[in-house]
Amino acid sequence: MILVEEKNGVAWVTLNRPEVRNALSRDLNLQLQEIGASFADRIEVRAVVLTGAGDKAFSAGADLKERKGVTAAESATYISAIWGAINEWADIQQPTICLMNGSAYGGGLELAMACDFRIIAEGAEVGLTEVRLGIMPGAGGTQRLPRLIGEARAKELIMLGRRVSAARAVEIGLVHEMVPRAQLRATADRWIADIMATAPISIATAKSAIERGYGRPMTEALEIESECYQRTLFTADRDEGLAAFAEGRSPRFQGR
Ligand code: COA
């Protein structure tokens, strides 16, 4: 259901159910959660890329066929699986890139929003379509989308279940970059090269400061920033960064 390949410090994770547009079944979600958790403290993994098989969709969201016939009471296990998977991905300490090979709807877009960076193929579409299906976004969508694009635009997308083009998604700040499909991989490699130029502890603690501080009162948020900053202070990589600057060379970070 999911393919994982690790190469040169990058984990490439591919949702592999193209025949159902990479819909998120309960079993797929359980596997996705396990994979998300597996990167914890693996300092040699510098970046995680999540993509989908096929050229139609990154993910069409919750597996609607699987949900059909499931009672409201039984649906709890399905909902907790998707919720668990998406939140586990938001918690990955390494930088995460969602390489959106096609459209993303519902839980598929919620999963993309749990990643740090989103690159999308030209011609794709995105939307939180749940209200048109008699439900509502339930795996972080109502909270992550307003944080990403502001409340007004988020209400438009969520409350109307509107699907928007990849170009519009970039325009409103939901997606970082749109490229022709053939350039997806090269674009990801460019983002990865930028990640590789950073110190592993620095990029992880900066991510954590943003994630934990965002939306909190400023004094509390600044305390979180300060706590995260402290973690970079006594690292060998800090010394290496300063030495490399003084010597006019590129730093060689080791993640310690
Ligand atoms: N769950 C389960 N199966 C899904 C699915 C989903 N979310 N989305 C698509 N599929 C299945 C289709 O039923 C179809 O199966 P079939 O071949 O057995 O008939 C197959 O995937 C291909 O779908 P199809 O609609 O023919 O492909 P498409 O490329 O023309 O369109 C989408 C793809 C994603 C645009 C379209 O399927 C769609 O709108 N899906 C619903 C998306 C959505 O609203 N998700 C929110 C979930 S909360």
Side-chain angles (χ1 to χ4, degrees):
M1 272 176 299
I2 304 182
L3 309 172
V4 183
E5 188 193 358
E6 287 188 20
K7 213 162 62 185
N8 304 326
V10 182
W12 295 83
V13 180
T14 307
L15 307 177
N16 192 29
R17 299 183 76 208
E19 68 288 357
V20 287
R21 307 300 180 252
N22 302 316
L24 307 171
S25 63
R26 186 179 59 168
D27 287 350
L28 181 142
N29 284 321
L30 293 174
Q31 197 186 349
L32 190 59
Q33 181 169 6
E34 209 172 285
I35 292 167
S38 73
F39 303 119
D41 298 322
R42 288 198 53 211
I43 201 76
E44 74 282 10
V45 176
R46 294 292 323 274
V48 181
V49 182
L50 177 63
T51 190
D55 57 9
K56 292 278 188 343
F58 162 65
S59 171
D63 190 320
L64 297 173
K65 288 181 188 161
E66 180 185 69
R67 294 273 179 100
K68 193 166 175 286
V70 170
T71 65
E74 285 165 349
S75 68
T77 65
Y78 292 81
I79 295 162
S80 84
I82 191 168
W83 197 90
I86 291 177
N87 286 308
E88 188 70 55
W89 271 72
D91 282 347
I92 290 176
Q93 68 193 43
Q94 290 90 345
T96 50
I97 298 174
C98 188
L99 195 58
M100 302 170 76
N101 53 299
S103 299
Y105 303 109
L109 181 55
E110 289 178 304
L111 177 59
M113 287 193 289
C115 296
D116 299 315
F117 308 117
R118 284 161 290 283
I119 302 164
I120 195 166
E122 247 171 41
E125 246 186 16
V126 301
L128 290 177
T129 52
E130 287 92 338
V131 294
R132 290 171 179 260
L133 293 160
I135 47 174
M136 61 170 273
T142 63
Q143 303 309 307
R144 290 202 177 92
L145 189 60
R147 280 169 169 76
L148 287 173
I149 66 170
E151 186 186 321
R153 292 282 179 225
K155 279 186 168 169
E156 180 188 338
L157 261 66
I158 293 171
M159 294 171 63
L160 304 179
R162 209 168 250 176
R163 297 176 182 218
V164 298
S165 68
R168 179 72 181 145
V170 173
E171 207 172 86
I172 60 179
L174 172 52
V175 169
H176 293 77
E177 190 169 349
M178 178 183 77
V179 295
R181 182 176 309 284
Q183 285 171 29
L184 277 174
R185 178 68 193 233
T187 307
D189 285 342
R190 187 160 45 75
W191 282 73
I192 290 165
D194 282 344
I195 290 169
M196 293 299 183
T198 68
I201 294 171
S202 299
I203 196 168
T205 49
K207 171 173 176 170
S208 170
I210 296 168
E211 293 279 340
R212 290 171 53 210
Y214 193 87
R216 299 236 195 159
M218 188 57 91
T219 45
E220 244 179 72
L222 290 176
E223 270 170 37
I224 290 169
E225 184 190 66
S226 169
E227 187 194 305
C228 291
Y229 187 89
Q230 297 293 322
R231 284 167 51 201
T232 63
L233 261 188
F234 300 101
T235 60
D237 283 349
R238 175 182 175 271
D239 297 340
E240 167 64 6
L242 295 174
F245 179 76
E247 293 160 26
R249 59 171 174 84
S250 300
R252 286 181 294 273
F253 295 123
Q254 293 175 51
R256 57 187 180 82

